[in-house]
Amino acid sequence: MRELKKINVLGTQYTIYVDVTEKDNLVIRDADGVCDFTTKEIFIAPMEQNDRTYQSIENYAKRTLRHEVVHAILFESGLDHNTEWARNEEVVDWIAIQFPKLMRIFKDLEVETF
């Protein structure tokens, strides 16, 4: 397990760890990534090409990290506490998968920033 980076998520510092195994932290069991709201940490398992990975492992790793960051954003915004959809893995995955496409559209329109 190694620390990748510390990030600011809506005013709260989260630490991202990569190459996390069950020996490092049991929360990663049966998961490619986990966002722990109680410790403000994101854990990403070692990425290996397997039958569940339908794309390049690099793209899958990025998508997994985006997915866990979306969880952190929804939690820190308070939506995780008050809605069903903010905890829904399909919704979180949709945001994580579509974000790069949305960003390209917004950049093309030159509306990606204030």
Side-chain angles (χ1 to χ4, degrees):
M1 177 171 94
R2 67 180 172 84
E3 183 178 318
L4 176 68
K5 189 172 192 166
K6 293 183 186 306
I7 60 169
N8 181 315
V9 177
L10 303 180
T12 301
Q13 181 174 283
Y14 275 71
T15 304
I16 300 170
Y17 295 96
V18 294
D19 299 325
V20 180
T21 67
E22 274 187 62
K23 289 181 181 180
D24 300 316
N25 193 325
L26 287 175
V27 301
I28 203 71
R29 181 183 310 185
D30 298 326
D32 291 328
V34 173
C35 180
D36 186 336
F37 312 118
T38 63
T39 63
K40 309 304 183 195
E41 296 171 310
I42 293 173
F43 302 101
I44 304 297
M47 293 289 152
E48 300 171 355
Q49 196 76 35
N50 60 40
D51 59 352
R52 293 185 310 159
T53 311
Y54 301 112
Q55 55 193 311
S56 81
I57 200 66
E58 182 179 317
N59 288 343
Y60 184 73
K62 288 178 182 179
R63 186 180 106 189
T64 300
L65 181 53
R66 282 194 311 270
H67 178 100
E68 299 310 326
V69 169
V70 169
H71 273 300
I73 292 166
L74 293 172
F75 180 83
E76 294 302 328
S77 70
L79 290 170
D80 181 81
H81 298 295
N82 301 307
T83 68
E84 293 284 326
W85 69 263
R87 288 184 302 276
N88 183 295
E89 290 296 315
E90 290 175 359
V91 171
V92 172
D93 224 20
W94 184 90
I95 295 168
I97 291 167
Q98 300 306 325
F99 182 83
K101 299 169 193 171
L102 295 169
M103 183 56 85
R104 279 193 296 275
I105 293 167
F106 296 149
K107 281 185 177 183
D108 197 35
L109 291 170
E110 298 178 5
V111 296
E112 76 276 16
T113 60
F114 293 96

